[in-house]
Amino acid sequence: MKDGSNLRESPKHKFTSDGKDRKLAIIDVQLSDTGEYTCVAKLGNKEKTSTAKLIVEELPVKFTKTLEPEISVIKGQPMYLTCELSKDRDVVWKKNGKPLEVIPGKVVINVIGLQRAVTIQDSGDDDAGVYTCECENIKTEGDIKVVEIIRDWLVKPLRDQHVKPKATATFKCELFKDTPNWKWFKGDTEIPTDPTDKTEVKKDGRDLTLAIKNAAPDDVGEYAVEVEGRRYAAKLTLGEREAEILKPLSSVEVYEKQSASFDTEISEEDVPGEWKLKGQLLTRSPTCEIKTEGKKRFLTLKNLQVDQSGEVSYQALNAVTSAVLTVKEIEMDFTVPLKDVTVLEKKQAKFECTITRDVPKVMWTKGSDIITSGRKYEIIDDGKKHMLVINNCDFDDEGHYAIEVLGKKSIAKLTVEGMRLKFTTPLKDQTVKEDKTMANINIEARDIKVVRPLYGVELFDGETARFEVEISETDVHAQWKLKGEVLTPSLDVEIVEDGTKHVLTLYNCKIPQTGEVSFQAANAKCAANLKVKELPLTFITPLSDVQVYEKDEARFECEVSREAKSFRWLKGTQEVKDDEKFKILHEGKRHTLVVKSAAYEDEAKYMFEAEDKRTTGKLIIQGIRLEFIKPIKDVTVKERETAEFSIELSHEKVPVTWYKNDVRLHPSKVVHMSEDGKVHTLSFKEDYTAVEKDEVVLVCELSKPAAEVKWFKDGKEITPSKNVIIKAEGKKRILTVKKAEKGNIGEYTCDCGSDKTTAKLNIEDRDIKIIRPLYSVEVTETETARFETEISEEDVHGHWKLKGEALHQSPDCEKKEEGTKHMLILYNVRMDQAGTVDFQAANAKSSAQLRVKARVIGLLRPLKDVTVTAGETATFDCELSYEGIKVEWFLGSTKLEPSDRIVTRAEGRVHTLTLRDVKMTEAGEVKLTAKDFMTKANLIVKEPPVEFTKPLEDQTVEEEATATLECEVSRENAEVTWYREGQEIRKTKKHEMVADGRKRRLIIHSCTPDDSKTYTCDAKDFKTSAFLSVEPPHVEFTKPLHDVEVKEKESAKFECEVSRESAKVRWFKDGNEIRKGKKYEIIAKGVQRILIINKSVFDDEAEYECDARTARTSGMLTVIEEEAVFTKNLSNVEGTETDSIKMICEVSKPSAEVTWYKGDQELPEGGRYEQFMDGKKRILIIQDLRMDDSGEYNCRLPSSRTSATLRINELAAEFISRPQSQEVVEGEKAEFVCSVSKDTYEVKWLKGDKQLEAGDKYDIISDGKRRVLVVKNCELKDEGGYVALIGSTRASADLLVIEKLRIITPIRDTQAKEGEEIVFNCEVNTDGAKAKWLKNDETMFESGKFIMVQKDTVFSLRIKDAQKSDEANFTITLTNHRGEHAKSSAKLSVQEEDIRIIDPLEDCETQEKKTITFSCKVNRPNVTVKWMKGGQELTFDKRIIYRVDKNKHTLTIKDCSLADEGEYSVMAGSDKSTAELIISEAPTDFTTHLKDQTVTEFEDAEFTCQLSKERADVKWYKNGREIREGPRYHFEKDGKICRLLIKECRPDDECEYACGVDETRSRARLFVEETPVEIIRPPLDIFEPPGSDVVFEAELNKDRVEVKWLRNNMIIVQGDKYQMMSEGKVHRLQICEIRPRDQGEYRIIAKDKDARSKLELAAVPKIKTTDQNLVTDAGKPFTMMVPFDAYPQAEADWFFNDVSLPKRTLIHLLTEQSTG
């Protein structure tokens, strides 16, 4: 009973009875089980009861199932977090310590019973973190990692690189996410990540880059990047070389006559280039300098003219750069202005000036009158020099003359000297009658010039064009025109005149405005072109891929930015036209292509091409649900009857294939196939029809396999042979004719005795067709002609004829047969072989023309100009196109014949002319002629160099004399140049150059020592030199210098005499030259030479010398010193004790020595006394004055003295510095320091009113003026005020004693149980201390386990969840800012609890081959547990791994198999936890995925992958659509390996391929590198008569290439006139009924390749009438008409009795088209 109520046995309550014992077991005790329990025992009528109370203590809540410590979730998948409590309680979920919020559709928090769960949908990187579930004071947490499964590591794949030689190839790719595990390879060789001369690897975020520098052929190959073990490859190929402009040209603006320099830099060093100016090629010349330095290119243009302004460009390979050269006129100015002129009366006066540049006209004026050229005035213009000559000057010509040039003016005055006459009787006024005078005024137009011309402008539609021109004058109205029409200002036209600048601005320019813009201002004109281009076409909406079902309509749409001038649609490379299959729509800027009834063959890349822009999209057919409405049924017919099979499909226009016994059937005379809407019919006839040389098989079937049969033909039994084979296969009887012939025609019977069957066999002729006809060939004689044709069958012999005669094999004729191809090769063709070439094989025929042209003389190596010196040998040679050509040589118009001086040779094709001992008169043109051929070159003969027959000789002359240097040259007309030390000598008054016959002289007047130099005479090829020595004249001293002695400040005079009055002398003082000035006077009087030295001083003492070059004389100067005296006496001085004073006097000489005295005692120098000399001043300084320093002081010279008195004031007692307050830590000493004004003063120290004495506590120190009180071993009681006393003067300071750091309450030893919380507390006496906790002398750091807290002066360490491992000695060390330390230690003891499992195992379900993990947690770290399966202890190995991480224990089973399924247990001490492992079979997966493949066009591609299981059905897909096995797609499966082979890949095979098994797919891309198009057989020239049909044929290296045909560069359109055909690689253009207008050049274009041929009409003249007999009357004219055919028009000649008739007016040649 419980609480008076009866209890019944149940799963909750169990009753047991064991002998006398009665037991009540309460299962899973809960709080509700608390109460009073009573056991009632009945024995008979007696009852006995026993009562007891059950008190249930509430267990703390705990997690019975915790979160996994580490959980990995696949990105994008939902994430589930689940834990379970022991009791129903509220929990708080947190992420990274922050509460987790519910987000609808993303984060959901669930409560299921005691379970607590969080579901996060579409997990991403942001969802990773530490998730915590907290309940009351417990929590569980798990670290969530979001793992991303990456199928392909590259977002942007590697692309093949095709670069030019020496360029840099860059491979780029973008990683799906950042990872450090990547490498670059070339082939199988790893490329280093550090930069090298060849490679540079970079990584920028997720972008990887590999740069291959200076690409060379060795660098060609496969490059790959390997990311996380996956490899992605691409190829590097080289193309043609290109250059790049590194530094473009800059525009240059210079003045005329100056030089302009241009420089640019390109990427290649060894590439030549071209410089152009205004489109004209520049070459090296005296005015054009072209240089190359490495990659830099330099151009210098010298002596520029204004008309050379224009564009300068440089081009190297494909690189082009340009700039503008502007050459401005030099600003007008006078370099040499006019100068005043004075002339005698009746003489000639000349005014000259020079200006900066050439001008066409200048104006001379006298006053305001313009001067014109005549008898009186001569105006001379010589380039920049202009002269005015005034003849027969008189006084009336006096005045101011001026020259005016372009606004600049220069003025000078003319003065005429001579006798001036005066009028003694002057004229008087007269009065006369009125008269008239007239004058004509002529006004000339201003000469306006264009200073800066217009430049052309090129821009796009709608942009603004600006034209600017500058003229020479302001205030000139101008007119602008566009395409000849005058422009006026408007909204779109702006005209601005700014001084000399005129600007035209055209806004919103349109294409029709393209044309010439012209400018005119007075007589100034210039023009430039305006070109307005259409805006480039762009795609607003490009094409996109289209997916439709088979038979549906597919629509491709795109929109362009403007209406296109031309556009077209293409399917692959073939142009699409509007027809039954395609519909092309065009509405404004929108274009649409409709593909009707889409079929699989319509799958392709479709392209819309508008002008030069393209956009593409793919058509993908998704398939249709094709069904048989009416299936095929068995058919029974009698022998010789027709059998017919029919089916009906669900769709129309679906092609079907018929098979018989798995052999595909083709239409024939026996087999007939038809289609009527959805119904398809197959019918058989009984007879057999075969083609000659085909194999024929006759088959019948018997009822018994062992029956014998006989075969008959037309009643005759057939016997087996090589051609006829009879065999039996089971019930079948077979007759095979290997090669059918006409003789095999007949009725065949198979007889089995009791029955027979018969059929007729008909043999048809082989229909041999010409697949590729012969084409006419034109060659030059001696060349090789090749004819080729192709027929439809092999093994057919062909016959060749030339001009109707059969051709046979010979050295000059070769015939070949290669399968269906037949070739004829004619070697060393002759002119007489021209004619028709015929080919015949069976019934197939083809003809063509062989045309042979005569050889034309060509020039392989031309003659070159030859330059020689007279008397030398000149050799000319050239190489002609072939040997054996007779030639003639000419010099000028004279034919050269072989002689001793003239030698001609012919060696093979090389012809040589040698001219010996060439004369000056033979310079001219040399020609070689042969038939109608000529080549020529120039012979340039130079004069022999000038030589010196007599050289210059060294000369010596005296100063002022004239020197003549003379030499002799080999020619009288030789020109020489004179040089002085390398500098050219010009003719002047100083230098005179004379040429007298062959003698050349240089005369140097008034020689000076500076003329002593080396002189050279230069005759270009030879030089001669000599040295001219100029010596001074000889001078002597007739009276030498003598020594001189003077007193200070007196003048000294030196005198001497020379032998010549004109002699020049120089004066020197101790070797240094003296110049005339205030100090020195230099006098030359006759032969006397005098030097006077003013105000002599001691520095003037020296040796003085007079130098006359050829002689010298010297004398000594001695200066006698004067005695020094005091010029300023000492003054009395007053000072204060301890100060410093200064006493000063002055002496007459700065060098005078003085002595200082106090009274009669000499003062020492040094210590407190300092003695100075400052010029003439003498100074005494006395420092740190004392009272005994007072008294008399004097300064003494040898013969005089000066005195003064020093008075000293005594210093008052005071503090210089006072004692400062002190702050010390107890136990330390304190010092009070002060300074007094005098050493002798005594200081008393007081504390309060008590005087302090030196002893154990205090030290009192006196050091000079410094006084110190030291308080030793300071205590708190020493705090207070301290006083220093000097007499009545006081100075005070305070002492503050700081208490030391001490621990008041230390930490104490502690004992606790496992799981309890422990606290250590420590208290100190002062604030500001910092604590450090140590565990076993190792520093501790705060964590969730150890919490360190400080409150005021109390420091605490809190240890949570104490464990056995926490037992240790704990220490706290304290430090303050003063470096004081305190320390306290205590011991912690923890009692251990029994080991138990706190987180049990959980059931696990997985698939085979995967890895599973069982984990549990125990309450103590680093213990060992026992793992068991089905009661048996597990053995650990590489597959089954046991790990311990603190208190977490993990069992990992790798590569699970079905045998691993079962119950697993873990034992921890006496505690046990059990879980079950369930393993299901794994689905098939890919162990090796497909890899991207790159192949070249026409190569086979192979994709390979490997599965995890052999028994798996795979499917292959192309762009998501299943591939069916066929001729191009082949599937292979070898165990687990699957292969897809794609035959002869083409560019449209480039897409994604996939292998699928169940729901899993492996994908890879196929990249097809397109083979460049080549024209392997270009079209041949055609010469046919008018009215013929002609065919141009060309063969490419591959099929499926779209070509264009052009005539004279105009595209040919298909029509009645032109038929264009393409059969595989062969493309033909047929021109029907050719006419003269069809002649010209025909061109075939295949992508970037083209080939050309020509069509010419050629018809042999043919008379279209027979002989005529005409009758006419005598004397009357008659007409004879003869029609004929010819092309081109032929010339007709008339004959009478075999005598040619002249073409007179009597005979008219009439031509009507082809009739004459």
Side-chain angles (χ1 to χ4, degrees), residues 1635-1649:
R1635 293 287 180 262
R1637 63 175 177 273
D1638 296 325
Q1639 293 185 111
E1641 182 185 72
Y1642 285 78
R1643 183 177 170 199
I1644 182 172
I1645 299 177
K1647 293 197 173 177
D1648 59 339
K1649 298 291 189 300

Side-chain angles (χ1 to χ4, degrees), residues 142 145 170 222 283 285 294 786 830 924 978 1292 1447 1473:
K145 295 179 180 177
T170 304
E222 183 182 84
T283 57
S285 69
R786 182 186 178 94
R830 303 186 305 277
W978 289 91
S1292 59
N1447 62 346
S1473 176

Side-chain angles (χ1 to χ4, degrees), residues 66-268:
T66 59
L67 296 176
E68 287 289 334
E70 293 181 0
I71 302 174
S72 295
V73 182
I74 297 174
K75 189 174 182 179
Q77 299 294 320
M79 178 170 67
Y80 305 99
L81 301 178
T82 307
C83 61
E84 188 172 343
L85 293 169
S86 58
K87 296 182 178 182
D88 193 359
R89 293 287 189 273
D90 291 331
V91 299
V92 176
W93 287 93
K94 293 183 178 180
K95 176 188 172 186
N96 294 332
K98 296 180 180 179
L100 186 64
E101 295 180 2
V102 175
I103 302 173
K106 176 69 175 177
V107 180
V108 179
I109 298 176
N110 298 317
V111 177
I112 307 168
L114 297 177
Q115 281 191 344
R116 303 295 185 264
V118 169
T119 302
I120 299 175
Q121 300 292 339
D122 190 22
S123 57
D125 294 333
D126 295 338
D127 298 318
V130 177
Y131 287 76
T132 308
C133 181
E134 295 182 359
C135 177
E136 297 178 1
N137 61 342
I138 63 170
K139 67 178 179 179
T140 179
E141 64 181 28
D143 188 2
I144 310 302
K145 295 179 180 177
V146 178
V147 180
E148 190 169 5
I149 296 178
I150 299 172
R151 296 184 180 276
D152 198 335
W153 273 96
L154 294 191
V155 177
K156 293 182 180 177
L158 284 182
R159 291 294 184 193
D160 293 346
Q161 298 296 313
H162 182 78
V163 298
K164 307 299 178 187
K166 294 195 176 182
T168 298
T170 304
F171 291 94
K172 294 181 180 179
C173 62
E174 182 181 345
L175 300 178
F176 183 85
K177 63 181 291 185
D178 208 350
T179 175
N181 301 321
W182 54 268
K183 296 176 182 177
W184 285 97
F185 292 85
K186 180 188 178 186
D188 296 323
T189 305
E190 185 177 351
I191 296 172
T193 54
D194 294 327
T196 66
D197 293 338
K198 177 55 68 177
T199 62
E200 184 176 358
V201 176
K202 291 183 181 178
K203 184 176 184 294
D204 184 7
R206 294 188 289 119
D207 292 328
L208 294 180
T209 306
L210 168 63
I212 313 297
K213 307 172 192 171
N214 196 19
D218 293 341
D219 299 321
V220 173
E222 183 182 84
Y223 291 79
V225 61
E226 187 178 285
V227 186
E228 296 289 352
R230 297 191 194 177
R231 193 179 177 101
Y232 305 88
K235 290 182 179 178
L236 170 62
T237 55
L238 287 184
E240 293 181 1
R241 194 170 178 188
E242 289 185 354
E244 181 183 353
I245 297 295
L246 303 179
K247 177 187 176 185
L249 292 176
S250 299
S251 295
V252 175
E253 190 173 284
V254 297
Y255 286 100
E256 59 179 326
K257 305 293 184 185
Q258 290 184 345
S259 297
S261 295
F262 294 86
D263 66 281
T264 183
E265 188 174 351
I266 62 175
S267 58
E268 306 296 321

Side-chain angles (χ1 to χ4, degrees), residues 382-402:
D382 182 11
K384 299 174 185 175
K385 193 172 184 180
H386 296 268
M387 290 175 279
L388 173 65
V389 178
I390 307 169
N391 296 316
N392 196 18
C393 290
D394 54 33
F395 295 113
D396 291 338
D397 294 323
E398 285 188 329
H400 288 87
Y401 289 80

Side-chain angles (χ1 to χ4, degrees), residues 532-721:
V532 184
K533 301 184 293 184
E534 275 192 328
L535 284 168
L537 187 99
T538 58
F539 286 100
I540 297 172
T541 307
L543 292 182
S544 57
D545 294 346
V546 175
Q547 292 188 358
V548 296
Y549 287 101
E550 193 178 3
K551 303 295 182 183
D552 286 352
E553 185 182 85
R555 294 176 71 90
F556 287 95
E557 292 186 343
C558 67
E559 187 177 352
V560 292
S561 58
R562 59 172 173 80
E563 289 203 15
K565 290 182 179 178
S566 62
F567 64 87
R568 62 175 182 162
W569 288 90
L570 297 98
K571 175 187 176 185
T573 58
Q574 298 296 321
E575 186 173 353
V576 173
K577 300 293 185 182
D578 209 335
D579 54 19
E580 295 178 355
K581 185 67 181 177
F582 300 101
K583 185 177 182 182
I584 297 174
L585 304 175
H586 172 210
E587 295 179 7
K589 301 176 185 177
R590 183 168 290 278
H591 296 261
T592 306
L593 172 66
V594 180
V595 184
K596 306 172 188 174
S597 184
Y600 280 110
E601 56 267 25
D602 296 325
E603 274 194 335
K605 187 183 287 185
Y606 286 81
M607 181 185 299
F608 177 73
E609 185 178 271
E611 296 177 8
D612 59 342
K613 303 294 182 183
R614 293 181 176 182
T615 177
T616 59
K618 288 184 180 178
L619 175 60
I620 301 168
I621 308 299
Q622 294 182 329
I624 60 172
R625 295 178 181 175
L626 189 63
E627 296 179 356
F628 286 99
I629 304 299
K630 179 183 175 184
I632 194 169
K633 294 181 180 179
D634 294 341
V635 174
T636 303
V637 295
K638 292 182 179 180
E639 190 175 5
R640 296 185 182 87
E641 289 183 351
T642 298
E644 187 173 275
F645 297 90
S646 66
I647 60 166
E648 185 178 350
L649 299 176
S650 56
H651 291 75
E652 292 184 1
K653 296 182 181 179
V654 176
V656 301
T657 305
W658 292 92
Y659 292 86
K660 179 184 176 185
N661 296 329
D662 295 331
V663 177
R664 183 175 179 178
L665 294 174
H666 297 278
S668 66
K669 292 188 176 181
V670 177
V671 180
H672 295 270
M673 301 174 186
S674 61
E675 177 184 349
D676 183 12
K678 301 178 183 177
V679 178
H680 299 259
T681 306
L682 169 70
S683 59
F684 292 92
K685 291 183 178 180
E686 62 172 3
D687 292 341
Y688 289 89
T689 301
V691 177
E692 193 176 5
K693 291 195 177 182
D694 281 356
E695 183 181 77
V696 179
V697 180
L698 302 176
V699 181
C700 63
E701 193 171 335
L702 303 177
S703 58
K704 294 181 180 180
E708 293 290 333
V709 299
K710 290 183 179 179
W711 288 90
F712 297 88
K713 175 181 177 286
D714 296 331
K716 293 182 181 180
E717 187 175 353
I718 300 171
T719 56
S721 65

